[in-house]
Amino acid sequence: MSGKNRFDSAFEDSKNKSGSLKKNYKASFLLGIISVFFAVYALKLFSLQILEGAQYQNRSVRISRTITKIAAQRGEIFDRKAKLPMVINTDSFAVDLIPGEIPQGYFDTVATKLAKFLGISKMNIDTKIPSRLRKSFSPIEVKTNVPFEIISNIAENLTDLPGVFWRNKPVRYYAETGSLSHVLGYVGDITNEELKLMYNKGYTSNSIVGKTGIERQYDSLLQGKEGSISRTVDVHGRILNEDPVVVPPVSGKNLVLTIDSEIQTLAEKALGERVGAAVVLKPASGEILAMVSYPYFDANIFSKDDASAQYAKLAADKNKPMLNRVVNAEYPPASTFKIIMSTAVLSEKVFPAEKKIECPGRITYGDRVFRCHIGLPGHGWLDLKNALAQSCDVYFWVIGTDHLGVERIASYSKEFGFGQNLGIDLPAQSNGFVPTPQWKERRYHEKWLGGDTMNMSIGQGYTLATPLHVANMMAMVCNSGKIYRPHLLKEIRDSANDSVQEIKPEVMHESTVAPEVWKDVQRNLRYTITDGTAVYPMHNTSVQIAGKTGTAEVNGVGKNHWHSWMVAYAPFDAPPEEQVVVAVLVEAVNTWEWWAPYATNIIIQGIFNNQTFEESVDALKFRYLLNRQRAAGGRRE
């Protein structure tokens, strides 16, 4: 190898060694920096966890953040005059227990002491907080409706009651009880099933929710939104010097109903202690002015400690006081159904209105004898107007079977809203029922018979309707073919009672029946009052009334017992905007007294003469009837 080559090779080796040394130096430098960083970090962790750990642990125990919920005021409920609320809130407290905050092994001790303060048994607390929940940090309500005096005693002994808390929990108070119980409903603690459905809407395990009536229907409006107060406290619960973070609650909306309290009281007293129902509505808007179902209940019992026992007692009552008979009970409409039959005859022109049919008191169809309510010798020869006025069954049997037929009868029934949901703003309602041959074949595997058509023609058999359906049927007559959706909510207001939304009338159905047909039906219904079956109980010199009676045969109740119906409107000679419809149903379980037309007349008398029940009774000279009923011992249970 030449000298030059050896020199070049040595130079390259020297160059490579120098680069390698330089790289090693940089790596060592970076490694040193990283080592120093981790050493400092480890030293700090050691200081925090070992040297200063006790100090921070003690501080974390001494200082914490506590959040107190502020209950929102549930909206109040008013009648249509919106002067005084029918439903308000009263102050009360609920006591909660957070079992996870009780030192291990001390649950029984704390529960025993708390039970003594609350005046309940320890077993009551054990039932609400079983062993599987005793490590939970979620608050569990132990008792509600706790007075302030007991809360004060608990507060004075709080060091012996770890995990015990209280909160404001307003109690719903119903100033108007009696027959309004079915309309207003009541509230109660949210159930686990309800919480699963409503959790995403802001409801919690401590929420109070509507269970029935308006309270349930408009719960989301009445609820409001709870607020909170967040404070810094020490281990003893003492508030440290720091301004709390306050989120104010938002009160629920106030509701103004269509109900007129004076008319409600009038209707309640007119029905009296008779199992049945009464409803008053404005045909031109669908507003419900009164809704009475007897028997009723006091909604305030559901805020008591024995609410479950009270509910069980009501549920076991054979007269079903929890049932709103106006919208949830179905009855044969009886002769009130002849209003639909008369409309169908006039509209279809299947039989001349002036042509007469003889009523001999009974009629034979197939192998059965059908007897008219008057018996032998019958009504004689009657045209449509007089058949309706005298409620002649034979006339409508002939019309139904020989001229209209079941399909037309069913079609007109549905035209009047029978067999359909009326859409009233209540959480539950019955549709009633309109039978057809197809239905009977599916249900009973039997063919529709002529006798079925005869029963249907006079509102008996399978046909069923609620009192609200019957009232709505008459509203259609008043409006000459138009039905407005019945409703109870008139207006929504904010907590300052300023109007937020006014509910507008909603047309539910508009008939194609000719206007002249409605005029004839209206005149015939007026004639029914002046010259028909209700001429005496519906006699009224202060206001003109049009209407129809009904007597529904009830199987299995007893001899000579029937449902008593009356549906009417007044004033007959006024536009629909000035009229009211009244429907009354008295069940067959009561002593037979044909009271429905008397009650209807009393209600109409009171409304249009601004009279109380007592004043209306005296004006109509019905006082002797009440005295006779008292002497007879009142109603039959």
Side-chain angles (χ1 to χ4, degrees):
M1 181 181 291
S2 66
K4 184 177 179 180
N5 288 338
R6 284 197 300 272
F7 176 80
D8 289 340
S9 178
F11 179 76
E12 288 296 328
D13 290 342
S14 174
K15 186 177 178 182
N16 289 337
K17 287 178 181 179
S18 174
S20 179
L21 287 172
K22 199 177 287 185
K23 286 180 180 178
N24 289 337
Y25 174 76
K26 287 181 178 179
S28 298
F29 179 74
L30 288 172
L31 182 62
I33 290 176
I34 292 171
S35 299
V36 170
F37 174 78
F38 275 107
V40 171
Y41 183 69
L43 185 62
K44 186 63 177 176
L45 285 177
F46 176 79
S47 175
L48 290 172
Q49 295 181 15
I50 307 301
L51 299 180
E52 301 177 60
Q55 176 184 347
Y56 282 106
Q57 185 178 6
N58 185 49
R59 186 178 179 188
S60 67
V61 170
R62 287 188 294 107
I63 302 175
S64 63
R65 202 82 178 166
T66 181
I67 298 176
T68 304
K69 296 292 185 182
I70 307 174
Q73 288 287 318
R74 193 172 175 87
E76 297 178 335
I77 304 176
F78 297 79
D79 83 336
R80 66 185 299 109
K81 295 174 184 174
K83 291 181 179 178
L84 294 173
M86 299 184 291
V87 185
I88 60 175
N89 306 296
T90 59
D91 287 333
S92 183
F93 295 89
V95 173
D96 296 336
L97 189 59
I98 302 179
E101 294 192 4
I102 300 175
Q104 189 171 359
Y106 283 87
F107 179 86
D108 288 338
T109 302
V110 173
T112 300
K113 289 180 180 178
L114 180 60
K116 192 172 294 185
F117 279 114
L118 295 176
I120 60 176
S121 68
K122 178 181 175 294
M123 186 182 297
N124 191 294
I125 297 178
D126 290 339
T127 301
K128 293 183 177 181
I129 310 177
S131 55
R132 61 185 173 82
L133 295 178
R134 291 182 185 176
K135 292 184 179 180
S136 171
F137 282 86
S138 298
I140 299 172
E141 186 177 286
V142 174
K143 193 173 188 299
T144 189
N145 204 17
V146 180
F148 179 74
E149 293 76 16
I150 292 178
I151 297 297
S152 297
N153 292 337
I154 292 174
E156 291 171 1
N157 295 272
L158 201 56
T159 53
D160 296 329
L161 298 168
V164 176
F165 298 88
W166 60 88
R167 54 191 162 83
N168 181 262
K169 186 179 181 181
V171 172
R172 206 68 162 154
Y173 176 71
Y174 298 89
E176 296 287 346
T177 55
S179 63
L180 275 170
S181 58
H182 295 105
V183 176
L184 299 173
Y186 64 94
V187 298
D189 295 324
I190 193 169
T191 64
N192 291 332
E193 292 73 20
E194 289 170 332
L195 184 59
K196 289 176 185 177
L197 296 173
M198 303 161 77
Y199 180 78
N200 291 331
K201 297 179 182 179
Y203 290 80
T204 69
S205 59
N206 289 324
S207 291
I208 298 295
V209 297
K211 298 294 184 178
T212 61
I214 291 295
E215 292 276 27
R216 180 175 175 183
Q217 182 72 19
Y218 293 111
D219 187 77
S220 59
L221 292 175
L222 292 164
Q223 268 293 326
K225 187 176 181 181
E226 67 179 13
S228 64
I229 300 177
S230 178
R231 296 186 178 96
T232 302
V233 298
D234 64 14
V235 70
H236 299 294
R238 291 188 292 258
I239 299 172
L240 302 181
N241 292 328
E242 184 178 323
D243 291 334
V245 177
V246 179
V247 177
V250 179
S251 297
K253 296 287 191 297
N254 293 334
L255 303 183
V256 178
L257 303 186
T258 60
I259 294 290
D260 186 310
S261 292
E262 292 179 357
I263 298 177
Q264 180 78 18
T265 300
L266 175 67
E268 177 182 315
K269 290 185 175 182
L271 180 63
E273 293 185 353
R274 300 171 181 85
V275 178
V279 59
V280 182
L281 67 81
K282 297 182 70 173
S285 64
E287 292 176 277
I288 304 293
L289 300 178
M291 180 180 285
V292 177
S293 178
Y294 186 87
Y296 31 79
F297 58 92
D298 183 353
N300 290 309
I301 65 174
F302 294 106
S303 64
K304 308 296 183 184
D305 292 335
D306 61 344
S308 296
Q310 293 290 342
Y311 180 85
K313 184 179 178 181
L314 290 170
D317 191 320
K318 65 179 181 180
N319 285 325
K320 301 179 180 179
M322 299 292 287
L323 176 67
N324 184 347
R325 286 169 163 80
V326 174
V327 295
N328 293 128
E330 300 173 328
Y331 307 90
S335 292
T336 65
F337 190 79
K338 292 168 183 173
I339 297 174
I340 295 176
M341 292 290 292
S342 296
T343 306
V345 170
L346 291 168
S347 181
E348 294 294 318
K349 297 181 173 58
V350 293
F351 191 82
E354 65 280 0
K355 189 174 180 179
K356 295 181 179 182
I357 294 174
E358 184 184 12
C359 169
R362 62 186 181 183
I363 187 172
T364 301
Y365 195 93
D367 58 354
R368 280 190 60 190
V369 176
F370 292 80
R371 292 176 172 81
C372 188
H373 70 87
I374 198 173
L376 296 173
H379 290 103
W381 292 89
L382 298 171
D383 59 10
L384 175 61
K385 181 175 74 171
N386 282 284
L388 183 66
Q390 300 304 322
S391 201
C392 177
D393 292 335
V394 170
Y395 181 95
F396 287 99
W397 282 331
V398 172
I399 289 294
T401 55
D402 297 348
H403 301 282
L404 279 174
V406 60
E407 297 295 350
R408 279 199 185 104
I409 298 173
S411 176
Y412 274 86
S413 299
K414 293 175 181 177
E415 182 90 352
F416 276 84
F418 278 34
Q420 300 171 41
N421 189 304
L422 297 180
I424 188 171
D425 44 349
L426 285 173
Q429 54 196 288
S430 299
N431 294 345
F433 186 69
V434 176
T436 62
Q438 296 79 12
W439 164 81
K440 187 182 179 186
E441 196 158 341
R442 287 195 308 268
R443 178 70 175 81
Y444 295 106
H445 306 291
E446 296 176 358
K447 289 187 177 181
W448 187 270
L449 303 175
D452 295 323
T453 303
M454 293 183 73
N455 283 331
M456 190 176 182
S457 299
I458 60 168
Q460 293 280 174
Y462 303 114
T463 306
L464 296 171
T466 68
L468 185 60
H469 280 97
V470 173
N472 230 33
M473 171 187 70
M474 187 61 90
M476 192 172 193
V477 174
C478 296
N479 295 325
S480 298
K482 189 181 292 184
I483 297 180
Y484 290 89
R485 188 177 302 281
H487 61 278
L488 287 159
L489 182 60
K490 184 175 186 291
E491 197 176 341
I492 302 170
R493 297 186 177 186
D494 59 22
S495 56
N497 239 6
D498 294 325
S499 181
V500 175
Q501 181 184 350
E502 189 174 341
I503 307 304
K504 303 295 184 185
E506 179 186 348
V507 176
M508 183 179 171
H509 178 70
E510 198 157 0
S511 172
T512 56
V513 173
E516 58 270 18
V517 171
W518 296 112
K519 291 298 180 186
D520 285 342
V521 174
Q522 291 164 4
R523 284 191 290 267
N524 290 349
L525 289 172
R526 172 60 182 158
Y527 182 75
T528 299
I529 298 300
T530 59
D531 293 80
T533 54
V535 63
Y536 179 74
M538 292 299 293
H539 178 69
N540 194 310
T541 58
S542 64
V543 59
Q544 292 187 26
I545 304 172
K548 182 71 188 77
T549 56
T551 304
E553 185 177 355
V554 181
N555 294 326
V557 173
K559 187 177 180 181
N560 297 328
H561 281 87
W562 305 269
H563 295 323
S564 172
W565 277 104
M566 185 71 213
V567 60
Y569 71 92
F572 166 73
D573 54 351
E577 292 76 19
E578 299 174 15
Q579 293 174 335
V580 298
V581 170
V582 179
V584 176
L585 177 280
V586 179
E587 286 192 12
V589 295
N590 303 277
T591 299
W592 176 247
E593 54 185 348
W594 201 40
W595 183 251
Y598 291 97
T600 301
N601 199 3
I602 291 169
I603 294 169
I604 291 173
Q605 173 73 21
I607 291 173
F608 291 103
N609 293 279
N610 195 27
Q611 293 176 339
T612 64
F613 166 75
E614 293 76 14
E615 291 168 340
S616 297
V617 167
D618 290 335
L620 294 170
K621 297 180 172 55
F622 288 164
R623 180 67 62 179
Y624 79 97
L625 288 171
L626 300 180
N627 294 335
R628 182 191 299 170
Q629 290 158 9
R630 292 192 191 98
R635 64 187 179 92
R636 183 171 76 88
E637 292 293 341

